[in-house]
Amino acid sequence: MSVGGVSPIPGRCGFFVERKRRFCKMIVRTGNSYCGEHADVENGNSRRRIPCPLDPKHTVFEEQLSKHLQKCNSREKPKPVYYEQNINAGSGDEETLEDQALGHRSKAALDSHLEKLKAAAKALGEKLEDSILSHPVLTEQLDDPNNGDSALKHLKQQASILGNMEEIGLLGSNRCFVEFGAGKGKLSHWIREAVKGHNDHHFLLVERSSTRFKVDGKHQQADGRFERLQVDIQHLDLGRVPLLMETRVRLVGVGKHLCGSATDLALRCLFEGVASETAPPCKRSRYQEEPAPPSHQPAPPSKAEVCGVAIALCCHHRCAWRPYVGKQFFRDNGLGASEFAAFRRMSSWATCNGCPDDQSRDHDGDVEPSDKDILNGVLSAEERGRVGRLCKRLIDHGRVCYLQSKGFMTKLQYYTTPQTTLENVLLTAVPPQPADHEERTRGASREAHL
């Protein structure tokens, strides 16, 4: 049997999957032509398969449905103790987000948003600096000729993230590294290799989906905990994680390409879900910016304290107004949900506006054909790219202001080159040093006397 000149692989299913334009690759029983999933098409087979009501992507024999529902991987599982519905989702009683495609807006409305963007951009200050570093723990892998371009691209980013963390003193003892959007856990793997000379370090890998080819198994016998929390960041109450209730540790929030609203959810999880007290890093930071006074919010009963953040930002077009932590910055500049909706859509121009195919595939944009039609008569491709980068910077600056309101010294930097990835901005934050805090207090006292 063949379709279009293509035959099934010997010993594999003979069902042709139209959507994939190939035969199913599932192994079949001896003497059968089809796998269990497609057995209902076998001649003479009276057993009927139906879609699973929990997940229609797979099917089950009709007479075995009740038994299947008890063990289906898509069934609702008992919630872990650290699950709290929408704890990091933000307030739902605020202004409604006007999420309208740019192509459906009038030229006057688009011009108005561009004028507001230029006005708000005055609060952003100087251009971002380059901080493209590396770390010796990845030197061997970076020099390995067997690593292809794709692997090398990720290794360079991981090395620079570790280098920046080392620079501001986050790779020390008595740390619990919380990797948000962990995926396979590669970033945590390299952080663990980098802190092997330090004592008392733990890792919490937060990922909502089940992931294959995880690195967790490499660290099960090592000192310290290497634990995976399968939960959406939106519902994660860090204060209820058993490790953080039992042990007094300093939390470091990390993430590599934490997509869209996941960054805001992670920041809320760190700063509104654990103790608000902060701990200084191991060594003097190079930060120069003066943070805003810390907020004073009641802290839940957790023994953890946040001592740093290092998150590589990504996919601003996937941000949402409700969980966004920079709302106050927007409001201070006369902006709201409507402007945020427009800016987040415009942000996709930075990565999907005439960029190479291999980079645009890494970070989906949402520029619709109707958007391009109206934009071609308003902005050139170069101008759209510049506006997109400005929108991303504005959204990120709101996050900077949020962290400063928590008493942290915060910075945005380019941690790798645009040739490596167009999403090349790293958000880092550390608490002020005691000397900085004393100087700020003395300055405030002098101003009060004046």
Side-chain angles (χ1 to χ4, degrees):
M1 177 182 60
S2 65
V3 177
V6 180
S7 301
I9 301 173
R12 303 301 175 97
C13 180
F15 183 83
F16 188 77
V17 185
E18 286 289 347
R19 182 174 61 86
K20 298 183 178 180
R21 303 300 302 167
R22 64 167 175 78
F23 284 94
C24 173
K25 296 182 179 180
M26 294 292 289
I27 298 175
V28 299
R29 287 184 177 180
T30 303
N32 289 359
S33 300
Y34 298 91
C35 66
E37 185 73 14
H38 302 119
D40 56 330
V41 301
E42 189 105 43
N43 291 332
N45 191 344
S46 59
R47 303 177 69 188
R48 178 168 173 260
R49 293 186 71 88
I50 59 174
C52 172
L54 300 179
D55 181 7
K57 292 181 180 179
H58 65 275
T59 61
V60 60
F61 284 116
E62 189 173 20
E63 70 273 14
Q64 295 180 350
L65 178 60
S66 58
K67 182 179 179 180
H68 170 79
L69 292 178
Q70 298 175 13
K71 60 181 181 179
C72 178
N73 288 332
S74 298
R75 73 189 186 280
E76 186 175 358
K77 302 177 180 64
K79 298 292 189 294
V81 294
Y82 44 78
Y83 180 94
E84 181 68 29
Q85 182 78 22
N86 291 329
I87 187 173
N88 303 313
S91 175
D93 56 358
E94 302 183 18
E95 53 188 311
T96 305
L97 176 66
E98 183 188 345
D99 194 6
Q100 185 182 27
L102 296 175
H104 297 159
R105 301 172 188 251
S106 66
K107 184 178 182 300
L110 188 59
D111 288 338
S112 175
H113 287 313
L114 291 174
E115 288 300 320
K116 291 179 180 180
L117 176 64
K118 293 177 183 177
K122 297 177 181 178
L124 299 182
E126 299 178 358
K127 294 182 179 180
L128 302 188
E129 299 176 355
D130 289 336
S131 183
I132 304 174
L133 306 178
S134 190
H135 196 280
V137 76
L138 283 103
T139 301
E140 183 178 347
Q141 287 294 318
L142 288 170
D143 294 338
D144 189 348
N146 294 321
N147 284 322
D149 292 340
S150 178
L152 191 60
K153 177 181 71 171
H154 293 290
L155 289 169
K156 286 180 179 178
Q157 295 174 65
Q158 291 157 353
S160 187
I161 292 174
L162 264 65
N164 277 279
M165 292 177 67
E166 182 75 45
E167 184 77 11
I168 58 178
L170 295 183
L171 299 180
S173 301
N174 189 29
R175 298 282 194 272
C176 180
F177 297 92
V178 184
E179 183 181 359
F180 294 98
K184 298 176 184 178
K186 290 288 185 70
L187 182 57
S188 289
H189 165 75
W190 290 116
I191 293 176
R192 183 154 211 170
E193 294 297 312
V195 298
K196 276 188 173 179
H198 300 280
N199 299 320
D200 195 17
H201 48 264
H202 308 279
F203 292 82
L204 295 175
L205 284 69
V206 183
E207 177 57 56
R208 65 183 178 182
S209 59
S210 180
T211 308
R212 301 177 65 190
F213 309 117
K214 300 184 289 286
V215 301
D216 305 33
K218 298 180 180 180
H219 302 284
Q220 294 304 316
Q221 305 301 322
D223 296 333
R225 300 266 285 274
F226 201 90
E227 183 178 346
R228 185 171 286 265
L229 308 179
Q230 188 173 340
V231 62
D232 195 308
I233 306 172
Q234 180 172 326
H235 312 305
L236 172 60
D237 184 354
L238 272 180
R240 294 185 184 179
V241 175
L243 169 65
L244 304 185
M245 297 180 70
E246 299 165 0
T247 311
R248 187 170 186 82
V249 292
R250 296 172 176 177
L251 290 180
V252 179
V254 299
K256 176 175 171 288
H257 292 311
L258 197 53
C259 187
S261 291
T263 295
D264 302 297
L265 296 172
L267 293 178
R268 287 183 181 274
C269 184
L270 284 170
F271 292 97
E272 299 173 20
V274 295
S276 60
E277 302 162 355
T278 58
C282 295
K283 64 179 182 179
R284 177 76 179 182
S285 162
R286 59 177 173 168
Y287 287 94
Q288 300 299 324
E289 287 86 347
E290 191 73 11
S295 61
H296 299 283
Q297 297 180 352
S302 169
K303 296 184 179 181
E305 51 191 15
V306 181
C307 77
V309 171
I311 296 176
L313 305 169
C314 172
C315 300
H316 297 70
H317 62 278
R318 294 184 180 273
C319 291
W321 178 250
R322 179 180 175 182
Y324 180 53
V325 295
K327 293 176 184 174
Q328 191 58 50
F329 166 71
F330 264 60
R331 289 167 180 154
D332 291 344
N333 286 274
L335 306 173
S338 177
E339 290 78 16
F340 180 86
F343 295 162
R344 76 168 189 85
R345 282 186 172 273
M346 292 177 185
S347 70
S348 66
W349 300 347
T351 55
C352 299
N353 188 59
C355 63
D357 291 341
D358 58 339
Q359 295 197 37
S360 64
R361 280 194 298 267
D362 289 345
H363 308 286
D364 305 340
D366 59 354
V367 180
E368 302 172 1
S370 57
D371 293 349
K372 293 182 179 180
D373 293 340
I374 189 174
L375 295 174
N376 286 334
V378 179
L379 298 172
S380 67
E382 183 178 351
E383 289 173 327
R384 289 200 295 270
R386 182 177 58 81
V387 169
R389 290 188 291 272
L390 195 58
C391 289
K392 293 167 78 71
R393 177 84 188 280
L394 194 71
I395 293 172
D396 289 340
H397 193 77
R399 293 161 170 167
V400 169
C401 292
Y402 172 81
L403 288 168
Q404 288 177 343
S405 74
K406 300 297 181 182
F408 275 65
M409 306 176 74
T410 310
K411 207 163 193 178
L412 292 167
Q413 296 172 303
Y414 294 121
Y415 76 103
T416 190
T417 64
Q419 290 73 32
T420 302
T421 175
L422 293 172
E423 300 281 15
N424 62 338
V425 175
L426 182 70
L427 171 67
T428 52
V430 293
Q433 296 290 325
D436 297 332
H437 178 73
E438 293 173 6
E439 180 62 28
R440 187 170 65 251
T441 304
R442 285 196 297 269
S445 177
R446 285 195 296 268
E447 290 178 5
H449 286 299
L450 292 175

